[in-house]
Amino acid sequence: MRKIHLLFCLLIFSSVTLFAYEDPRKFPDIDPKYIEIDILDPNQKVGYTVGDYIVREINLTVKKPFKLIEESLPIVGYEKRYRGQLLGISLKEIDVSKESRDEFSSYLIKLKYQIFTNNVVAKPASITADYYRFINPNEPKKIQKFRVPEFTFAISPIAIFGDVKIENDMSPYRGPFFLDKIQGENKIKYSLVALLLISLIFVYIYGRYTWLPTRTFSMIYRKFKKQKPSAANTKKIITALHAGFDNLIDQSLFEDNIPLLIKKNNSFKHIEKELHTFFKISRALFFQKHIKLDQDELNKWLINFALHCRMCERRLIVNPKEIKGISF
Amino acid sequence: MSDQNLTDWRKLALKLEAEINKVILGQELPIRLVTNAIFSRGHVLLEGDVGVGKTTLLKAFARAIGGGYERIEGTIDLMPNDLIYHTYLGEDGKPHVDEGPILKSGEDLSIFFFNEINRARPQVHSLLLRIMAEKTLSAFNQEFTFPHLTVFADRNQVEKEETFDIPSAARDRFMMEIPIIIPQVDKLMNQLIFDTKFHDADKLISEVTPKMLKFDQLNKLSSEIQNTIKSTSALEKYSLNLWKATKNPEKYNIKISGIDTERLIVSGASPRGISMMMKCARVSAWLNNRTSILPEDIHAIFHETIAHRLVFNPVYELKRTEISRELSNEILNKVSVT
């Protein structure tokens, strides 16, 4: 009983397998008048090697009453054979688009094959012919075939034949090949040092010119920005600003040596007009008693000027629209 | 004298300046300084190389100012009495005595031009000291006064043979010592070489309008300027600090390369020197049409009114010209106004 059961299973398996490998060539050829085919093969015919792709585009027009049996198209993963031998070429992708009209149906079939074989010398290879099957709905039992021609090409070796095999050439005079990791490590080290240096430079620039609150005009601005207008306060801020300029150029700054200040810090060029006004104010306050000054307006102007000096000290550019004059 | 008069005089002063600038090329700054000295009523010493136009400049000013003008050449055998009188045998065969250059114009003597003053002996310098400081002279049992006198002198520093250093006391009598330097501008230098107009100094000077100023009113005008132009306490403090810095530069952190500033100064500016500096600063403010002195007015005349009064350690005296220029620049750079 057990044997009968085994035999039955074997018969079923054999019939399924045989059906699966049914030879398409046994079907009669379709009358060519019903078929129009246009194949676009790659221009490259040689130089293929393992891993390469070959793409074919087949434009197939089937006239009524025939229809393409789409199950007869190649299946992804199918490996091409020649006389039962695997060729090392398999279908990776298939893309079929269909367009139906009253008189015909047209199919655009894109086939992408990949090569899995190689050889030490060039060898011929081909994408063997495929047989697509067609059916006439009026005669459903009479299936017919159409042969899609093959595409032949040459597979080339990766290396030139006779290339040295290292295992056959173990000369004692040649040291073993090592992967040199020191260069890589050094690159990382140098990169880290460069990164560190750049970071330090940025910190220095940022600290020198931007945010450090200990700089002269930063302190002046901070000290006086909230002061109330009065003659005494005006004198104090002007004196502090003069001291700031003197400190910056390491000598007394007068109106006629403003270029020295600009040479020392070019940002002050953008407030040159304000600098001249500042000296005008300073002269009026300290040396020309007959000139009357509006303390309120003056105080605002001086605080704004101190802010601009702070910006210049930080190498920032003062917006020209923020530069205001003062009348006295 | 009214403000209007001061304004008119100012215009005249600027015209005088323009007139001199017409005949002296590239010396705008020395001309401004001499103009300042004229209205400050101070004596002027010009210092520079040979042939740079010192004498021409002073002669041009002498012509424009008007009044009595006398000139003497400094020589090694010049004696003080040569300034006062000279003797000669007359046509009648008898000895005669005539007034020397100092006395010839009497009280109208406006300009006394001492050419190459450093060639004269110290005795001559001594006589000049009195005339410059007191504007009086005792001779022939009588006292002569020269109320309008301004002494212009020049000296060259290149030649040292048969010359005498002007003592510090004599230098101090000069309100200004003005360096004359050849203009380093190609266009001007070309003009000096190729424009024949500048080859005949006497003809050139004759182009200056003579007697532009009323010389006998300059003293009054000067005191009016001094009374009109004001200074503030801040400026007075600044001037005082400048004066102190001439005495003790090291206290003001003044440093000169290769010089020990602690040992440099033997004697700083004198009170007379500082008062002359302030006089000139007032005139500078007036010439710039201001009624108050600004620090810039002091800067404009500081070196010329102070540097020649400083007495240096003998070690540094040989390089006086370079050191004094550097020192005065450093003083102005380091002494703060506020």
Side-chain angles (χ1 to χ4, degrees), chain A residues 250-290:
Chain A
D250 199 26
Q251 68 171 66
S252 298
L253 179 76
F254 295 100
E255 194 172 7
D256 54 1
N257 56 10
I258 284 176
L260 264 183
L261 176 72
I262 292 168
K263 195 178 168 191
K264 188 95 179 176
N265 181 341
N266 197 44
S267 299
F268 281 99
K269 189 171 177 55
H270 302 283
I271 60 162
E272 196 174 351
K273 201 175 155 191
E274 271 192 329
L275 286 166
H276 287 286
T277 310
F278 170 71
F279 277 98
K280 217 169 147 187
I281 293 167
S282 171
R283 279 200 294 264
L285 192 77
F286 288 105
F287 308 113
Q288 295 168 304
K289 296 277 186 194
H290 59 282

Side-chain angles (χ1 to χ4, degrees), chain A residues 181-192:
Chain A
K181 67 172 185 174
I182 293 171
Q183 277 191 348
E185 280 178 358
N186 283 345
K187 274 183 188 170
I188 292 171
K189 280 179 195 167
Y190 297 145
S191 304
L192 283 174

Side-chain angles (χ1 to χ4, degrees), chain B residues 105-239:
Chain B
S105 298
E107 284 199 354
D108 283 348
L109 180 62
S110 166
I111 305 286
F112 184 72
F113 178 26
F114 205 134
N115 200 21
E116 304 230 34
I117 190 172
N118 56 335
R119 290 191 180 280
R121 287 163 175 270
Q123 295 94 314
V124 180
H125 294 157
S126 300
L127 175 72
L128 205 63
L129 273 181
R130 178 176 169 186
I131 298 170
M132 286 165 72
E134 299 171 16
K135 298 192 176 177
T136 62
L137 174 70
S138 302
F140 311 119
N141 295 322
Q142 77 180 93
E143 185 101 342
F144 295 91
T145 58
F146 313 102
H148 310 297
L149 173 66
T150 303
V151 173
F152 285 170
D154 69 6
R155 63 167 172 164
N156 82 64
Q157 284 208 321
V158 179
E159 284 181 285
K160 296 289 178 195
E161 281 185 23
E162 293 191 351
T163 60
F164 299 91
D165 263 350
I166 306 170
S168 58
R171 286 204 306 265
D172 201 58
R173 264 37 170 214
F174 285 100
M175 179 172 260
M176 290 188 188
E177 183 183 46
I178 302 170
I180 304 288
I181 298 158
I182 305 164
Q184 296 299 315
V185 179
D186 284 358
K187 192 183 164 194
L188 296 180
M189 290 167 90
N190 258 338
Q191 223 174 329
L192 286 172
I193 300 168
F194 298 108
D195 192 341
T196 50
K197 173 187 163 185
F198 297 102
H199 297 175
D200 186 346
D202 289 334
K203 197 177 167 195
L204 192 63
I205 290 165
S206 68
E207 288 178 19
V208 176
T209 312
K211 299 178 183 174
M212 289 176 67
L213 306 182
K214 291 172 185 163
F215 76 95
D216 54 345
Q217 288 185 26
L218 288 175
N219 286 341
K220 195 178 164 196
L221 169 70
S222 179
S223 45
E224 185 63 26
I225 294 169
Q226 297 301 321
N227 292 333
T228 308
I229 306 297
K230 302 293 179 201
S231 60
T232 59
S233 56
L235 190 109
E236 284 159 13
K237 190 180 159 198
Y238 179 54
S239 313

Side-chain angles (χ1 to χ4, degrees), chain B residues 50 316 326:
Chain B
V50 182
Y316 300 116
E326 212 167 327

